[in-house]
Amino acid sequence: MSESRTIQPESDDLETGARRMRPWQLLLVGMGAALLGLLPWLLTGMRLPLQNLWATDTLPDDMPLVLLPFSQYSLSTIASLLVVGAAAGGLAGRILRARTPARGFALLFFGVLLVDVVAVAQSAATVGPGLREDTWSAVFLAGVLTVAVLAVGIGASVLWLIGRAPQAGAVVGIAIAAVLLPGWLHLLMAPRGPAFAGEPEWLWTAVRWVPSVLIGLAIAWAGVRTAGRIIAAIAALALLWLAPALITAASAALGSRVLARVPGEMLDYGAGVFRLAATDPDLVVKPIVVAVVVAAVGLVVRALLARRTAARAGTGGEASGA
């Protein structure tokens, strides 16, 4: 009998150890999440888009291979690729929290950042030498590189919010990733051609509602029982309202060759596009209404399930008491 008592704890320890992930596995999870974020671009063949400031005349198929599409016309795509991968890492970290050993999340975090930093560095190191040696080329490269670095920083924040923050913080992290997800999905659906390149139009239309549905589901998942979660829900809806307008304005202004040499007019143009996009009822009201409806339905379903669970627990308690 005494021997069996000494063996049993060892068995429990082994079982617990089997549930824990090894550090190298978490590192690979992080790297895999970042590569998942880059997947739509990898499927295109990774050819650098034609550059206005390229030093030599080069055919599209002869452009170098890069891990990110460094171009003033692809700034929102760069942000999508980096932030969506980071969000996938955060989701994996949250799902695997019970199996993550001490400091294990740090390795997952490092895995995501490692791939993203390598992607940014490789792209910059490849594009830089191919540009003309003039001031505008330096400004272009510095601008695109700045956007990429900011996207890595935003991705790191999203990764931590989704993976380790309380539920209120996770809602905000999910919202940030959700508003960037359509760009990721559009590139995934048409990796070798322009939009609507043979894909069903309804599928492209459906992508528009993905952020609303995801944000609504996130609000329902977290609930609105505390002040922090209510604030997070409001912040997520604000992001759904303003972030797409900001992305549209930035893409329109920064992608204009005519305004590239007149920064003041570029800012004015971007501000005008932002005002139009942020105040157009068709662009603003419908997505927010969809998110609110999804959240409301989710909260009702959650309340009904909780009530049913409580009723079953009460019935079981009465039966055991009898």
Side-chain angles (χ1 to χ4, degrees), residues 28-315:
L28 290 181
V29 168
M31 296 175 66
L35 289 173
L36 177 64
L38 299 178
L39 178 63
W41 174 246
L42 300 180
L43 293 177
T44 67
M46 302 187 296
R47 288 288 175 189
L48 178 69
L50 289 175
Q51 304 290 310
N52 299 327
L53 301 171
W54 206 242
T56 59
D57 293 334
T58 307
L59 295 174
D61 290 341
D62 294 330
M63 293 297 285
L65 300 179
V66 288
L67 292 173
L68 287 171
F70 266 37
S71 169
Q72 69 269 36
Y73 307 115
S74 303
L75 297 180
S76 62
T77 299
I78 293 172
S80 297
L81 296 171
L82 295 171
V83 174
V84 169
L91 182 61
R94 200 168 196 99
I95 293 173
L96 298 172
R97 175 179 287 188
R99 300 178 58 192
T100 302
R103 302 179 182 177
F105 182 76
L107 285 171
L108 188 152
F109 195 97
F110 176 76
V112 172
L113 288 185
L114 176 63
V115 173
D116 286 349
V117 169
V118 168
V120 172
Q122 185 273 340
S123 302
T126 302
V127 173
L131 297 173
R132 297 200 304 256
E133 296 183 1
D134 56 30
T135 301
W136 287 110
S137 296
V139 171
F140 159 77
L141 183 60
V144 177
L145 184 58
T146 298
V147 170
V149 171
L150 286 175
V152 172
I154 293 172
S157 300
V158 167
L159 172 57
W160 184 84
L161 286 171
I162 297 177
R164 275 297 180 268
Q167 286 180 307
V171 169
V172 175
I174 292 170
I176 296 172
V179 297
L180 288 168
L181 186 58
W184 188 91
L185 290 172
H186 282 310
L187 184 59
L188 181 66
M189 288 188 293
R192 297 189 180 278
F196 304 101
E199 287 75 15
E201 185 174 349
W202 66 265
L203 186 60
W204 287 87
T205 302
V207 169
R208 177 190 176 190
W209 306 108
V210 169
S212 299
V213 173
L214 288 179
I215 289 174
L217 290 175
I219 293 172
W221 164 71
V224 290
R225 293 176 296 175
T226 66
R229 295 179 187 183
I230 293 174
I231 293 173
I234 295 173
L237 294 175
L239 282 167
L240 182 61
W241 168 31
L242 297 174
L246 181 60
I247 293 170
T248 300
S251 299
L254 296 173
S256 173
R257 295 181 61 184
V258 177
L259 299 175
R261 297 177 182 272
V262 192
E265 293 185 13
M266 179 185 291
L267 288 174
D268 290 340
Y269 177 68
V273 173
F274 175 78
R275 284 193 298 270
L276 289 174
T279 57
D280 187 334
D282 187 55
L283 297 176
V284 173
V285 175
K286 291 180 181 179
I288 292 178
V289 169
V290 170
V292 171
V293 169
V294 171
V297 172
L299 290 169
V300 170
V301 171
R302 178 177 174 173
L304 291 175
L305 292 175
R307 184 177 300 177
R308 179 178 299 180
T309 301
R312 288 179 178 177
T315 303

